[in-house]
Coordinates of all heavy atoms in Angstrom, one line a residue:
M551 N -13.4 -36.4 54.5 CA -12.3 -35.6 54.0 C -12.9 -34.6 53.0 O -13.7 -35.0 52.1 CB -11.2 -36.4 53.5 CG -10.0 -35.7 53.0 SD -8.7 -36.9 52.6 CE -7.4 -35.8 52.6
S552 N -12.4 -33.4 53.0 CA -13.0 -32.4 52.0 C -12.3 -32.5 50.6 O -11.2 -33.0 50.5 CB -12.8 -31.0 52.5 OG -11.4 -30.7 52.5
N553 N -13.1 -32.1 49.6 CA -12.7 -32.1 48.3 C -11.5 -31.1 48.1 O -11.6 -30.0 48.6 CB -13.9 -31.8 47.4 CG -13.5 -31.9 45.9 OD1 -12.4 -31.7 45.5 ND2 -14.6 -32.2 45.1
S554 N -10.5 -31.4 47.3 CA -9.4 -30.5 47.2 C -9.8 -29.2 46.4 O -9.2 -28.2 46.6 CB -8.2 -31.2 46.4 OG -8.7 -31.6 45.1
R555 N -10.9 -29.3 45.7 CA -11.4 -28.1 45.0 C -12.0 -27.1 46.0 O -12.2 -26.0 45.7 CB -12.4 -28.4 43.9 CG -11.7 -29.1 42.7 CD -12.8 -29.3 41.7 NE -12.2 -29.4 40.4 CZ -12.8 -29.3 39.3 NH1 -14.0 -29.0 39.2 NH2 -12.1 -29.5 38.1
E556 N -12.4 -27.6 47.1 CA -13.2 -26.8 48.1 C -12.3 -26.2 49.2 O -12.7 -25.5 50.1 CB -14.3 -27.5 48.6 CG -15.3 -27.9 47.6 CD -16.4 -28.8 48.1 OE1 -16.5 -29.0 49.3 OE2 -17.2 -29.3 47.3
S557 N -11.0 -26.6 49.2 CA -10.1 -26.1 50.2 C -8.8 -25.7 49.6 O -8.5 -25.9 48.4 CB -9.8 -27.2 51.3 OG -9.2 -28.3 50.6
G558 N -8.0 -25.0 50.3 CA -6.7 -24.6 49.8 C -6.6 -23.1 49.6 O -7.6 -22.4 49.7
P559 N -5.4 -22.6 49.3 CA -5.2 -21.1 49.2 C -6.0 -20.4 48.1 O -6.5 -19.3 48.3 CB -3.7 -21.0 49.0 CG -3.2 -22.3 48.6 CD -4.2 -23.3 49.1
V560 N -6.2 -21.1 47.0 CA -6.9 -20.4 45.9 C -8.4 -20.2 46.3 O -8.9 -19.1 46.0 CB -6.8 -21.3 44.6 CG1 -7.7 -20.7 43.5 CG2 -5.4 -21.3 44.1
N561 N -9.0 -21.3 46.8 CA -10.4 -21.1 47.2 C -10.5 -20.2 48.4 O -11.6 -19.5 48.5 CB -11.0 -22.5 47.5 CG -11.3 -23.2 46.2 OD1 -12.0 -22.7 45.3 ND2 -10.6 -24.4 46.0
Q562 N -9.5 -20.0 49.2 CA -9.6 -19.1 50.3 C -9.6 -17.6 49.7 O -10.4 -16.8 50.2 CB -8.3 -19.2 51.2 CG -8.4 -18.2 52.4 CD -9.6 -18.5 53.3 OE1 -9.9 -19.7 53.6 NE2 -10.2 -17.5 53.7
V563 N -8.9 -17.4 48.6 CA -8.9 -16.1 47.9 C -10.3 -15.8 47.4 O -10.8 -14.7 47.5 CB -7.9 -16.0 46.8 CG1 -8.1 -14.8 45.9 CG2 -6.5 -16.1 47.3
F564 N -10.9 -16.8 46.8 CA -12.3 -16.7 46.3 C -13.3 -16.3 47.5 O -14.1 -15.4 47.3 CB -12.8 -17.9 45.6 CG -12.4 -18.0 44.2 CD1 -11.6 -19.0 43.7 CD2 -12.9 -17.1 43.2 CE1 -11.2 -19.1 42.4 CE2 -12.5 -17.2 41.9 CZ -11.6 -18.2 41.5
R565 N -13.2 -17.0 48.6 CA -14.1 -16.7 49.7 C -13.8 -15.3 50.2 O -14.7 -14.6 50.5 CB -13.8 -17.8 50.8 CG -14.5 -19.1 50.5 CD -14.5 -20.0 51.7 NE -13.2 -20.4 52.1 CZ -12.4 -21.4 51.7 NH1 -12.9 -22.2 50.7 NH2 -11.2 -21.6 52.1
D566 N -12.5 -15.0 50.4 CA -12.2 -13.6 50.9 C -12.6 -12.5 50.0 O -13.0 -11.4 50.4 CB -10.7 -13.5 51.2 CG -10.3 -14.4 52.3 OD1 -11.2 -15.0 53.1 OD2 -9.1 -14.7 52.5
S567 N -12.6 -12.8 48.7 CA -12.9 -11.7 47.7 C -14.4 -11.6 47.4 O -14.8 -10.6 46.8 CB -12.2 -12.0 46.4 OG -12.8 -13.1 45.7
G568 N -15.2 -12.5 47.8 CA -16.7 -12.5 47.5 C -17.0 -13.1 46.2 O -18.2 -13.2 45.8
L569 N -16.0 -13.6 45.5 CA -16.2 -14.3 44.2 C -16.6 -15.7 44.5 O -16.3 -16.3 45.5 CB -14.9 -14.3 43.4 CG -14.4 -12.9 42.8 CD1 -13.1 -13.1 42.2 CD2 -15.4 -12.3 41.9
E570 N -17.4 -16.3 43.5 CA -17.7 -17.7 43.6 C -16.8 -18.4 42.7 O -16.3 -17.9 41.7 CB -19.2 -17.9 43.3 CG -19.7 -17.4 42.0 CD -21.2 -17.5 41.8 OE1 -21.7 -18.5 42.3 OE2 -21.7 -16.6 41.3
R571 N -16.7 -19.7 43.0 CA -15.9 -20.6 42.1 C -16.6 -20.7 40.8 O -17.8 -20.9 40.6 CB -15.7 -22.0 42.8 CG -14.7 -22.8 42.1 CD -14.5 -24.1 42.8 NE -15.7 -25.0 42.8 CZ -15.9 -25.8 41.8 NH1 -15.2 -25.9 40.7 NH2 -17.0 -26.6 41.9
A572 N -15.7 -20.7 39.7 CA -16.3 -20.8 38.4 C -16.3 -22.3 38.0 O -15.4 -23.1 38.4 CB -15.4 -20.1 37.4
L573 N -17.3 -22.7 37.3 CA -17.5 -24.1 36.9 C -17.1 -24.3 35.4 O -17.3 -23.4 34.6 CB -18.9 -24.5 37.0 CG -19.5 -24.8 38.4 CD1 -19.6 -23.5 39.2 CD2 -20.8 -25.5 38.4
D574 N -16.5 -25.5 35.1 CA -16.1 -25.8 33.8 C -17.4 -26.4 33.1 O -18.4 -26.7 33.7 CB -14.9 -26.6 33.6 CG -15.0 -28.0 34.3 OD1 -16.1 -28.5 34.4 OD2 -13.9 -28.5 34.7
E575 N -17.2 -26.7 31.8 CA -18.3 -27.3 31.0 C -18.7 -28.7 31.5 O -19.9 -29.1 31.4 CB -18.0 -27.3 29.5 CG -16.9 -28.2 29.1 CD -16.4 -28.1 27.7 OE1 -17.0 -27.2 26.9 OE2 -15.6 -28.8 27.2
F576 N -17.8 -29.5 32.1 CA -18.1 -30.8 32.6 C -19.0 -30.6 33.8 O -20.0 -31.4 34.0 CB -16.9 -31.6 32.9 CG -16.0 -31.8 31.7 CD1 -15.0 -31.0 31.3 CD2 -16.4 -32.9 30.8 CE1 -14.2 -31.2 30.2 CE2 -15.6 -33.1 29.7 CZ -14.5 -32.3 29.3
E577 N -18.7 -29.7 34.7 CA -19.5 -29.4 35.9 C -20.9 -28.9 35.5 O -21.9 -29.2 36.2 CB -18.8 -28.5 36.8 CG -17.5 -29.1 37.4 CD -16.6 -28.1 38.1 OE1 -16.3 -27.0 37.5 OE2 -16.3 -28.3 39.3
V578 N -20.9 -28.1 34.5 CA -22.2 -27.5 34.0 C -23.1 -28.7 33.5 O -24.3 -28.7 33.8 CB -22.0 -26.4 32.9 CG1 -23.3 -26.0 32.3 CG2 -21.3 -25.2 33.6
A579 N -22.5 -29.6 32.7 CA -23.2 -30.7 32.2 C -23.8 -31.6 33.4 O -25.0 -32.0 33.3 CB -22.3 -31.6 31.3
K580 N -23.0 -31.8 34.4 CA -23.5 -32.5 35.6 C -24.7 -31.7 36.3 O -25.7 -32.3 36.7 CB -22.4 -32.7 36.6 CG -21.5 -33.8 36.2 CD -20.4 -34.0 37.2 CE -19.4 -35.1 36.8 NZ -18.3 -35.3 37.8
F581 N -24.5 -30.4 36.4 CA -25.5 -29.6 37.1 C -26.8 -29.7 36.4 O -27.9 -29.8 37.0 CB -25.0 -28.1 37.0 CG -25.9 -27.1 37.7 CD1 -25.7 -26.8 39.0 CD2 -26.9 -26.4 37.0 CE1 -26.5 -25.9 39.7 CE2 -27.7 -25.5 37.6 CZ -27.5 -25.2 39.0
F582 N -26.9 -29.6 35.0 CA -28.1 -29.8 34.3 C -28.5 -31.2 33.9 O -29.5 -31.4 33.3 CB -28.1 -28.8 33.1 CG -28.1 -27.4 33.4 CD1 -27.1 -26.6 33.1 CD2 -29.3 -26.8 33.9 CE1 -27.1 -25.2 33.5 CE2 -29.4 -25.5 34.2 CZ -28.3 -24.7 34.0
K583 N -27.6 -32.1 34.2 CA -27.8 -33.5 33.8 C -28.0 -33.7 32.3 O -29.0 -34.3 31.8 CB -29.0 -34.1 34.6 CG -28.8 -34.1 36.1 CD -29.9 -34.7 36.9 CE -29.5 -34.7 38.3 NZ -30.6 -35.2 39.2
V584 N -27.1 -33.0 31.6 CA -27.0 -33.2 30.1 C -25.6 -33.5 29.7 O -24.7 -33.5 30.6 CB -27.5 -31.9 29.4 CG1 -28.9 -31.5 29.8 CG2 -26.5 -30.7 29.8
S585 N -25.4 -33.8 28.5 CA -24.0 -34.2 28.0 C -23.2 -32.9 27.9 O -23.7 -31.8 27.7 CB -24.1 -34.9 26.7 OG -24.5 -34.0 25.6
V586 N -21.9 -33.1 27.9 CA -21.0 -32.0 27.7 C -21.2 -31.4 26.2 O -21.1 -30.2 26.0 CB -19.5 -32.4 27.8 CG1 -18.6 -31.3 27.4 CG2 -19.3 -32.9 29.3
E587 N -21.5 -32.3 25.3 CA -21.8 -31.9 23.9 C -23.0 -30.9 23.9 O -23.0 -29.9 23.1 CB -22.0 -33.1 23.0 CG -22.2 -32.7 21.6 CD -20.9 -32.0 21.0 OE1 -19.8 -32.3 21.4 OE2 -21.1 -31.1 20.1
T588 N -24.0 -31.2 24.7 CA -25.2 -30.3 24.7 C -24.7 -28.9 25.3 O -25.1 -27.9 24.7 CB -26.2 -30.9 25.7 OG1 -26.7 -32.1 25.1 CG2 -27.4 -29.9 25.8
V589 N -23.9 -28.9 26.3 CA -23.4 -27.6 26.8 C -22.6 -26.8 25.7 O -22.8 -25.6 25.5 CB -22.5 -27.8 28.1 CG1 -21.9 -26.5 28.5 CG2 -23.4 -28.5 29.2
R590 N -21.8 -27.5 25.0 CA -21.0 -26.9 23.9 C -21.9 -26.4 22.8 O -21.7 -25.3 22.3 CB -20.1 -28.0 23.3 CG -19.0 -28.3 24.3 CD -18.1 -29.4 23.7 NE -17.0 -29.7 24.7 CZ -16.3 -30.8 24.7 NH1 -16.5 -31.7 23.8 NH2 -15.4 -31.0 25.7
K591 N -23.0 -27.1 22.5 CA -24.0 -26.6 21.5 C -24.7 -25.4 22.0 O -24.9 -24.4 21.2 CB -25.0 -27.7 21.1 CG -24.5 -28.8 20.3 CD -25.5 -29.9 20.0 CE -24.9 -31.1 19.3 NZ -25.9 -32.1 19.1
W592 N -25.1 -25.4 23.2 CA -25.7 -24.2 23.8 C -24.8 -22.9 23.6 O -25.2 -21.9 23.2 CB -26.0 -24.3 25.3 CG -27.1 -25.3 25.7 CD1 -28.1 -25.8 24.8 CD2 -27.3 -25.8 26.9 NE1 -28.9 -26.6 25.6 CE2 -28.5 -26.6 26.9 CE3 -26.7 -25.6 28.2 CZ2 -29.0 -27.3 28.0 CZ3 -27.2 -26.3 29.3 CH2 -28.3 -27.1 29.2
R593 N -23.5 -23.2 23.9 CA -22.5 -22.1 23.9 C -22.4 -21.6 22.4 O -22.4 -20.4 22.2 CB -21.2 -22.5 24.5 CG -20.2 -21.4 24.7 CD -19.0 -21.8 25.5 NE -18.3 -22.9 24.9 CZ -18.1 -24.1 25.5 NH1 -18.6 -24.4 26.6 NH2 -17.4 -25.0 24.9
K594 N -22.3 -22.5 21.5 CA -22.1 -22.2 20.1 C -23.3 -21.4 19.5 O -23.1 -20.5 18.7 CB -21.8 -23.4 19.3 CG -21.5 -23.2 17.8 CD -21.1 -24.5 17.1 CE -20.9 -24.2 15.6 NZ -20.6 -25.4 14.9
R595 N -24.5 -21.9 19.9 CA -25.7 -21.3 19.4 C -26.1 -20.0 20.2 O -27.0 -19.3 19.8 CB -26.9 -22.2 19.5 CG -26.7 -23.5 18.6 CD -27.8 -24.4 18.9 NE -27.6 -25.6 18.1 CZ -28.2 -26.8 18.3 NH1 -29.1 -26.9 19.3 NH2 -28.0 -27.8 17.5
G596 N -25.5 -19.8 21.3 CA -25.9 -18.7 22.2 C -27.1 -18.8 22.9 O -27.8 -17.8 23.2
T597 N -27.5 -20.1 23.2 CA -28.8 -20.3 23.8 C -28.7 -20.8 25.2 O -29.7 -21.0 25.9 CB -29.6 -21.4 23.0 OG1 -28.8 -22.6 23.0 CG2 -29.9 -21.0 21.6
G598 N -27.5 -21.0 25.7 CA -27.3 -21.5 27.1 C -27.0 -20.5 28.1 O -27.2 -19.2 27.8
P599 N -26.5 -20.8 29.2 CA -26.2 -19.8 30.3 C -25.0 -19.0 29.9 O -24.2 -19.4 29.0 CB -25.8 -20.7 31.5 CG -25.6 -22.1 31.0 CD -26.3 -22.2 29.7
R600 N -24.9 -17.8 30.5 CA -23.7 -16.9 30.2 C -22.5 -17.6 30.6 O -22.4 -18.4 31.6 CB -23.9 -15.7 31.1 CG -24.9 -14.7 30.6 CD -24.9 -13.5 31.5 NE -23.6 -12.8 31.4 CZ -23.3 -11.8 32.1 NH1 -24.1 -11.2 32.9 NH2 -22.1 -11.2 32.0
F601 N -21.4 -17.3 29.9 CA -20.1 -17.9 30.2 C -19.0 -16.9 30.0 O -19.3 -15.8 29.4 CB -19.8 -19.1 29.3 CG -19.8 -18.8 27.8 CD1 -18.5 -18.5 27.3 CD2 -20.9 -18.8 27.1 CE1 -18.5 -18.2 25.9 CE2 -20.8 -18.5 25.7 CZ -19.6 -18.2 25.1
R602 N -17.9 -17.2 30.5 CA -16.7 -16.3 30.4 C -15.5 -17.1 29.8 O -15.3 -18.2 30.2 CB -16.4 -15.6 31.7 CG -17.4 -14.6 32.2 CD -17.5 -14.6 33.6 NE -18.5 -13.7 34.1 CZ -19.8 -14.0 34.3 NH1 -20.2 -15.2 34.0 NH2 -20.6 -13.1 34.7
R603 N -14.8 -16.4 29.0 CA -13.6 -17.0 28.5 C -12.4 -16.5 29.2 O -12.3 -15.3 29.4 CB -13.4 -16.7 27.0 CG -14.3 -17.5 26.1 CD -13.9 -17.4 24.7 NE -14.9 -18.1 23.8 CZ -14.9 -19.4 23.6 NH1 -14.0 -20.2 24.1 NH2 -15.8 -20.0 22.8
I604 N -11.5 -17.4 29.6 CA -10.3 -17.0 30.2 C -9.2 -17.7 29.4 O -9.0 -18.9 29.6 CB -10.2 -17.4 31.7 CG1 -11.4 -16.9 32.5 CG2 -8.9 -17.0 32.3 CD1 -11.6 -17.5 33.8
G605 N -8.6 -17.0 28.5 CA -7.7 -17.6 27.5 C -8.6 -18.6 26.7 O -9.6 -18.2 26.1
R606 N -8.2 -19.8 26.6 CA -8.9 -20.8 25.9 C -10.0 -21.5 26.7 O -10.8 -22.3 26.3 CB -8.0 -21.9 25.3 CG -7.1 -21.4 24.2 CD -6.3 -22.5 23.7 NE -5.5 -22.0 22.5 CZ -4.7 -22.8 21.8 NH1 -4.6 -24.1 22.1 NH2 -4.0 -22.3 20.8
S607 N -9.9 -21.3 28.0 CA -10.9 -21.9 29.0 C -12.2 -21.2 29.0 O -12.3 -20.0 28.8 CB -10.3 -21.9 30.4 OG -9.1 -22.6 30.5
V608 N -13.2 -22.0 29.2 CA -14.6 -21.4 29.3 C -15.0 -21.7 30.7 O -14.9 -22.9 31.2 CB -15.5 -22.0 28.3 CG1 -17.0 -21.6 28.5 CG2 -15.1 -21.7 26.9
R609 N -15.6 -20.7 31.4 CA -16.1 -20.9 32.8 C -17.4 -20.3 32.9 O -17.8 -19.3 32.3 CB -15.1 -20.3 33.8 CG -13.7 -20.9 33.8 CD -13.8 -22.4 34.4 NE -12.5 -23.0 34.4 CZ -12.0 -23.8 33.5 NH1 -12.8 -24.1 32.5 NH2 -10.8 -24.4 33.7
Y610 N -18.2 -20.9 33.9 CA -19.6 -20.4 34.2 C -19.7 -20.1 35.7 O -19.2 -20.9 36.5 CB -20.5 -21.6 33.9 CG -20.6 -22.0 32.4 CD1 -19.6 -22.9 31.9 CD2 -21.6 -21.6 31.6 CE1 -19.7 -23.3 30.6 CE2 -21.6 -22.0 30.2 CZ -20.6 -22.8 29.8 OH -20.7 -23.2 28.4
A611 N -20.3 -19.0 35.9 CA -20.6 -18.6 37.4 C -21.9 -19.4 37.8 O -22.8 -19.4 37.0 CB -20.7 -17.1 37.5
L612 N -21.9 -19.9 39.0 CA -23.1 -20.6 39.5 C -24.3 -19.7 39.4 O -25.4 -20.1 39.1 CB -22.8 -21.0 40.9 CG -23.9 -21.9 41.6 CD1 -24.1 -23.2 40.7 CD2 -23.4 -22.3 42.9
R613 N -24.1 -18.4 39.7 CA -25.2 -17.4 39.7 C -25.8 -17.4 38.3 O -27.1 -17.3 38.1 CB -24.6 -16.1 40.0 CG -25.5 -14.9 39.7 CD -24.8 -13.6 40.0 NE -23.4 -13.8 39.8 CZ -22.4 -13.1 40.5 NH1 -22.7 -12.1 41.2 NH2 -21.1 -13.4 40.3
D614 N -25.0 -17.5 37.2 CA -25.5 -17.5 35.8 C -26.3 -18.7 35.5 O -27.2 -18.7 34.7 CB -24.4 -17.2 34.8 CG -23.8 -15.8 35.0 OD1 -24.5 -14.9 35.4 OD2 -22.6 -15.7 34.6
L615 N -25.8 -19.9 36.1 CA -26.6 -21.1 35.9 C -27.9 -21.0 36.5 O -28.9 -21.5 35.9 CB -25.8 -22.3 36.4 CG -24.4 -22.6 35.9 CD1 -23.8 -23.8 36.5 CD2 -24.4 -22.6 34.4
R616 N -28.0 -20.5 37.7 CA -29.3 -20.4 38.4 C -30.2 -19.4 37.6 O -31.4 -19.7 37.5 CB -29.1 -19.8 39.8 CG -28.5 -20.8 40.7 CD -28.4 -20.3 42.1 NE -27.7 -21.2 43.0 CZ -26.7 -20.9 43.8 NH1 -26.2 -19.7 43.8 NH2 -26.1 -21.8 44.5
T617 N -29.7 -18.3 37.1 CA -30.5 -17.3 36.3 C -31.0 -18.0 35.1 O -32.2 -17.9 34.7 CB -29.7 -16.1 35.9 OG1 -29.2 -15.5 37.1 CG2 -30.4 -15.2 35.1
Y618 N -30.2 -18.8 34.3 CA -30.6 -19.5 33.2 C -31.7 -20.5 33.5 O -32.7 -20.5 32.8 CB -29.4 -20.2 32.5 CG -29.7 -21.0 31.3 CD1 -30.0 -20.5 30.1 CD2 -29.7 -22.5 31.4 CE1 -30.3 -21.2 29.0 CE2 -30.0 -23.2 30.3 CZ -30.3 -22.6 29.1 OH -30.6 -23.4 28.0
W619 N -31.5 -21.2 34.5 CA -32.5 -22.2 35.0 C -33.9 -21.6 35.3 O -34.9 -22.0 34.9 CB -32.0 -23.0 36.2 CG -33.0 -23.9 36.8 CD1 -33.8 -23.7 37.9 CD2 -33.3 -25.2 36.3 NE1 -34.6 -24.8 38.1 CE2 -34.3 -25.8 37.1 CE3 -32.8 -26.0 35.3 CZ2 -34.8 -27.0 36.9 CZ3 -33.3 -27.3 35.1 CH2 -34.3 -27.8 35.9
N620 N -33.8 -20.5 36.0 CA -35.1 -19.8 36.4 C -35.8 -19.1 35.3 O -37.0 -18.8 35.4 CB -34.7 -18.7 37.5 CG -34.4 -19.4 38.8 OD1 -34.8 -20.4 39.1 ND2 -33.6 -18.7 39.6
H621 N -35.1 -18.9 34.1 CA -35.8 -18.3 32.9 C -36.2 -19.4 31.9 O -36.7 -19.0 30.8 CB -34.9 -17.2 32.3 CG -34.8 -16.0 33.2 ND1 -33.9 -15.9 34.2 CD2 -35.6 -14.9 33.2 CE1 -34.1 -14.7 34.7 NE2 -35.1 -14.1 34.2
L622 N -36.0 -20.6 32.1 CA -36.4 -21.6 31.2 C -37.9 -21.8 31.3 O -38.5 -21.6 32.4 CB -35.7 -23.0 31.5 CG -34.3 -23.1 31.2 CD1 -33.7 -24.4 31.8 CD2 -34.0 -23.0 29.7
P623 N -38.5 -22.1 30.2 CA -40.0 -22.3 30.2 C -40.3 -23.5 31.1 O -39.5 -24.4 31.2 CB -40.4 -22.6 28.8 CG -39.2 -22.5 28.0 CD -38.0 -22.3 28.9
T624 N -41.5 -23.4 31.7 CA -41.9 -24.5 32.6 C -43.1 -25.2 31.9 O -43.8 -24.7 31.1 CB -42.3 -24.0 34.0 OG1 -43.4 -23.0 33.8 CG2 -41.2 -23.3 34.7
G625 N -43.4 -26.4 32.4 CA -44.6 -27.1 31.9 C -45.6 -27.4 33.1 O -45.4 -26.9 34.2
G626 N -46.6 -28.1 32.8 CA -47.6 -28.4 33.8 C -48.7 -27.4 33.9 O -48.8 -26.5 33.0
I627 N -49.4 -27.4 34.9 CA -50.5 -26.5 35.1 C -50.3 -25.6 36.3 O -49.5 -26.0 37.2 CB -51.8 -27.3 35.3 CG1 -51.8 -28.1 36.6 CG2 -52.2 -28.1 34.1 CD1 -53.2 -28.7 36.9
V628 N -50.9 -24.5 36.3 CA -50.8 -23.5 37.4 C -52.1 -23.6 38.1 O -53.2 -23.4 37.5 CB -50.5 -22.1 36.9 CG1 -50.6 -21.1 38.1 CG2 -49.2 -22.0 36.2
L629 N -52.1 -24.0 39.4 CA -53.3 -24.1 40.2 C -53.7 -22.7 40.7 O -52.9 -21.9 41.1 CB -53.1 -25.0 41.4 CG -52.7 -26.5 41.0 CD1 -52.4 -27.2 42.3 CD2 -53.8 -27.1 40.2
S630 N -55.0 -22.4 40.5 CA -55.6 -21.1 41.0 C -55.6 -21.1 42.5 O -55.8 -22.1 43.2 CB -57.0 -21.0 40.5 OG -57.6 -19.8 41.0
T631 N -55.3 -19.9 43.1 CA -55.3 -19.8 44.5 C -56.5 -18.9 44.9 O -56.6 -18.5 46.0 CB -54.0 -19.1 45.0 OG1 -53.8 -17.8 44.4 CG2 -52.8 -20.0 44.8
G632 N -57.4 -18.7 43.9 CA -58.6 -17.8 44.2 C -59.6 -18.6 45.0 O -59.5 -19.7 45.4
S633 N -60.7 -17.9 45.3 CA -61.7 -18.5 46.1 C -62.6 -19.4 45.3 O -62.5 -19.5 44.1 CB -62.7 -17.4 46.7 OG -63.3 -16.7 45.6
K634 N -63.3 -20.3 46.1 CA -64.1 -21.3 45.4 C -65.1 -20.7 44.4 O -65.6 -19.6 44.7 CB -64.8 -22.1 46.4 CG -64.0 -23.0 47.3 CD -64.8 -23.8 48.2 CE -63.8 -24.7 49.1 NZ -64.6 -25.6 50.0
G635 N -65.4 -21.4 43.3 CA -66.3 -21.0 42.4 C -65.8 -20.1 41.3 O -66.4 -19.7 40.3
Q636 N -64.5 -19.7 41.4 CA -63.9 -18.9 40.4 C -62.9 -19.8 39.6 O -62.2 -20.6 40.2 CB -63.1 -17.7 41.0 CG -64.0 -16.7 41.6 CD -63.1 -15.5 42.2 OE1 -62.0 -15.6 42.4 NE2 -63.8 -14.4 42.5
A637 N -62.9 -19.6 38.3 CA -61.9 -20.4 37.5 C -60.7 -19.6 37.2 O -60.6 -18.4 37.2 CB -62.6 -20.7 36.2

């Protein structure tokens, strides 16, 4: 059975308009596997993903979460793809 958030007339409007569903701070916390308090701190400090206010509500576009994720620093090593003997 499908999730009620993924079906129904409101979500049909989103699909028809080309808009994507907006996520709340709880969904963002699950997305990044952090606490809701961490998401709130990011928002307060201006260090987290872009968000939009709709009245008192705060919403995040999935596209903005992906952009934020892709711009975070990475760790580990980068393996060279050059030919043998080159460092």
Side-chain angles (χ1 to χ4, degrees):
M551 182 169 200
S552 68
N553 185 334
S554 63
R555 286 185 160 197
E556 295 174 7
S557 61
V560 172
N561 286 301
Q562 184 64 42
V563 170
F564 276 114
R565 284 190 298 273
D566 292 347
S567 69
L569 294 174
E570 57 186 321
R571 190 174 69 82
L573 285 72
D574 63 24
E575 61 188 7
F576 298 95
E577 293 169 307
V578 172
K580 286 181 184 179
F581 183 88
F582 287 113
K583 297 183 181 178
V584 298
S585 69
V586 173
E587 187 58 34
T588 296
V589 175
R590 290 175 181 161
K591 286 179 185 177
W592 289 345
R593 191 169 59 242
K594 184 176 179 183
R595 294 176 185 162
T597 59
R600 287 181 59 183
F601 64 91
R602 287 148 184 89
R603 288 195 182 275
I604 304 169
R606 291 184 177 185
S607 298
V608 175
R609 296 292 182 261
Y610 297 81
L612 187 57
R613 167 187 27 207
D614 293 332
L615 301 183
R616 289 182 184 129
T617 299
Y618 177 73
W619 175 260
N620 289 331
H621 287 89
L622 288 173
T624 61
I627 62 171
V628 176
L629 299 175
S630 172
T631 59
S633 62
K634 292 183 179 181
Q636 294 182 344

